[in-house]
Amino acid sequence: MKEETIAIDGGRQLAGEIEVSGAKNAALPCLFASLLSSKKVVLDNLPLVTDTMTSIEVLKSLGLAVRRQGKKATIDAAKAKSASCEVPLEQARAMRASILALGPLLAKRGEAVVPLPGGCDFGSRPIDIHLRGLRKMGAEIEMKGGVLHARADGLRGQRLTLEFPSFTGTENLMMAACLAQGETIIDNAAREPEIANLAALLVAMGAQIEGAGTSRIAIAGVASLGGASHAVMPDRIEAGTYLAAAAAAQGDLTLRGCGGDELAMVLDKLEDAGAEIESSQDRIGIIMDRRPRAVDIATAPYPGFPTDLQAQFLAVSSIAEGTARIVEGIWEQRFRTADELRLMGADIAVSGSSATVNGVAQLTGAHVQATDLRASAALVIAGLCASGTTVIHNAHHLQRGYEGLAAKLNALGARVRQAGA
Ligand code: EPU
């Protein structure tokens, strides 16, 4: 397979309007939720990214009939060809979200075989919160050779208190609880808006869920779930990435189809950096006509500053006026971008879970390596404001979560060329 690269001629301001795509981290759980249905589930506004395609492949290999036309997929459980309970190794390794098959398979089919998930590599990525909850609900789960083998003879509703508000952990348990016998309460649940979006789909399918999007979710189990039509919410992380790009490269940018409410903390930080922000229900505008001021950031579960925008703000801080302290509060090792940004002239010192960034006046184009999805986005941002040309190697990471990135940036006046895709 040919290596994918992205080349960026930097130093051009961004101007114009682009549309925000559907959220990857809402689309994937919604796709896996269709495993719970006995009828037809229609999902719209799916982002056209590789993680969406991988999830669809998983559903097909589990026997579901899936027809995708553009951003819309029709998943028909009534036409299921088999009831395989085994997630293929290749897809599980490609994407951490494959763990989201576990709860629905156990609840609906009583069995799941799921290889331990792969995905972005930023330190240990345990799934003990998922497993503890499912075991408490009556599942028997064993690990053999890196593969989870789970069985349940009917799950039972339970009171679950999560040790940490795990995003996909909350989703897996909420989905499993929909078909469990009796009531499940999830305390210390993750509050990400994508969880409320998933719950909206499940409720449309006939589930009884209250409190999704808050730290206590109550689910009354039902005997079966039916069909539904559902639109995936806009991608606040994609939106935040373009806003960070505008903050670094300067310009005047409007994002359509995404409101500012779910990005409140990020918009505050951009204003602190000197940006003029205007947001409504379905638009966010940013005007940046100065070098950004350094701002401190500490990532935390929602509604805190999202870890999935940390690398992008590391890139913004690299060219900011002053010194920024960036603290990563979610993942153990999510500063690998710093090594690549240094190749472009950034002054970043990493110590444990924090980075100190002394802003430099200008970054210089270089050959850099993408290491994961958001790290790749950070390198794109650095490339947009650097002098000369930046070539990002291993750019396939970007396709996992950014729909049409090069086309969107070029529509804003950037010069981005993709090769090898
Ligand atoms: N954790 C545990 N045990 C668990 C699960 C998580 O200790 O069983 C710890 C993790 O080690 C980590 C923290 O809890 O320190 C957060 O993990 P979480 O479970 O919330 O993350 P996730 O559900 O695996 C999702 C997103 C990530 C995003 C994180 C945090 C999806 C498919 N992935 O992962 O998105 O970084 O939440 O917000 O929704 C991305 O899109 O680039 C991405 C990596």
Side-chain angles (χ1 to χ4, degrees):
M1 206 172 74
K2 204 163 173 284
E3 187 214 4
E4 286 179 33
T5 59
I6 286 195
I8 303 167
D9 298 331
R12 299 167 68 87
Q13 293 201 347
L14 302 178
E17 276 195 29
I18 49 171
E19 186 83 27
V20 174
S21 299
K24 168 181 85 80
N25 289 347
L28 308 187
C30 288
L31 283 163
F32 285 106
S34 67
L35 283 165
L36 290 165
S37 172
S38 305
K39 301 234 166 76
K40 197 190 279 183
V41 173
V42 181
L43 297 176
D44 207 350
N45 202 31
L46 291 168
L48 300 177
V49 296
T50 45
D51 276 11
T52 299
M53 306 312 157
T54 307
S55 303
I56 288 176
E57 287 313 307
V58 174
L59 296 181
K60 285 183 180 166
S61 64
L62 294 170
L64 296 185
V66 186
R67 193 163 45 88
R68 185 182 64 79
Q69 287 170 302
K71 293 172 182 291
K72 195 169 185 171
T74 305
I75 304 138
D76 202 342
K79 287 193 191 148
K81 292 190 196 76
S82 76
S84 161
C85 295
E86 198 165 337
V87 173
L89 181 69
E90 192 190 337
Q91 282 122 22
R93 288 282 146 84
M95 184 186 74
R96 179 167 167 89
S98 53
I99 192 67
L100 288 169
L102 180 63
L105 278 177
L106 262 178
K108 182 75 166 46
R109 302 184 183 178
E111 193 185 344
V113 179
V114 185
L116 279 187
C120 293
D121 176 14
F122 27 75
S124 116
R125 299 189 70 174
I127 48 166
D128 54 299
I129 293 168
H130 306 232
L131 303 188
R132 187 171 308 144
L134 291 169
R135 283 192 174 116
K136 202 162 176 201
M137 293 168 80
E140 282 173 26
I141 308 176
E142 267 187 289
M143 168 96 79
K144 289 186 223 153
V147 179
L148 292 168
H149 293 258
R151 276 186 176 281
D153 192 10
L155 293 171
R156 290 181 304 278
Q158 281 291 345
R159 184 173 184 138
L160 308 172
T161 302
L162 309 192
E163 211 170 316
F164 183 90
S166 161
F167 190 161
T168 51
T170 301
E171 292 172 337
N172 236 339
L173 297 171
M174 181 169 82
M175 288 192 282
C178 288
L179 290 181
Q181 213 175 45
E183 193 185 42
T184 299
I185 306 278
I186 308 177
D187 264 323
N188 199 23
R191 290 184 282 165
E192 271 74 3
E194 290 77 7
I195 290 171
N197 193 243
L198 168 64
L201 165 63
L202 294 166
V203 167
M205 285 160 66
Q208 293 187 14
I209 304 175
E210 273 175 26
T214 74
S215 54
R216 168 178 279 212
I217 306 178
I219 306 120
V222 296
S224 69
L225 292 174
S229 274
H230 176 74
V232 170
M233 66 177 281
D235 197 324
R236 64 193 165 96
I237 303 299
E238 186 200 23
T241 301
Y242 286 108
L243 294 172
Q250 301 186 21
D252 182 347
L253 168 62
T254 301
L255 299 174
R256 284 191 311 260
C258 180
D261 287 355
E262 280 113 14
L263 276 167
M265 177 75 78
V266 175
L267 300 186
D268 282 354
K269 293 290 176 185
L270 288 165
E271 280 179 338
D272 292 349
E276 210 180 292
I277 302 278
E278 239 185 65
S279 78
S280 64
Q281 284 291 86
D282 62 352
R283 273 175 115 78
I284 308 175
I286 178 170
I287 298 174
M288 188 67 163
D289 55 10
R290 51 159 293 150
R291 182 178 167 199
R293 277 190 291 268
V295 287
D296 293 340
I297 281 161
T299 70
Y302 189 85
F305 191 94
T307 173
D308 291 344
L309 286 172
Q310 181 259 98
Q312 296 88 319
F313 274 70
L314 197 66
V316 178
S317 309
S318 297
I319 50 110
E321 209 172 76
T323 299
R325 186 149 184 272
I326 313 250
V327 179
E328 172 56 48
I330 308 289
W331 298 111
E332 272 175 5
Q333 292 165 28
R334 216 181 187 180
F335 282 123
R336 284 170 74 189
T337 339
D339 293 335
E340 303 303 310
L341 290 173
R342 273 192 217 107
L343 295 176
M344 300 175 71
D347 176 357
I348 306 173
V350 176
S351 167
S353 61
S354 72
T356 305
V357 192
N358 293 312
V360 296
Q362 176 82 68
L363 295 175
T364 317
H367 280 259
V368 288
Q369 299 285 339
T371 51
D372 67 57
L373 171 60
R374 307 304 173 189
S376 316
L379 296 176
V380 169
I381 293 172
L384 289 170
C385 58
S387 63
T389 303
T390 298
V391 181
I392 305 173
H393 296 266
N394 291 324
H396 63 275
H397 287 290
L398 277 170
Q399 330 282 351
R400 286 193 44 215
Y402 290 95
E403 177 183 320
L405 178 105
K408 287 187 186 182
L409 286 172
N410 287 335
L412 297 173
R415 278 210 187 124
V416 181
R417 296 178 300 282
Q418 248 177 309

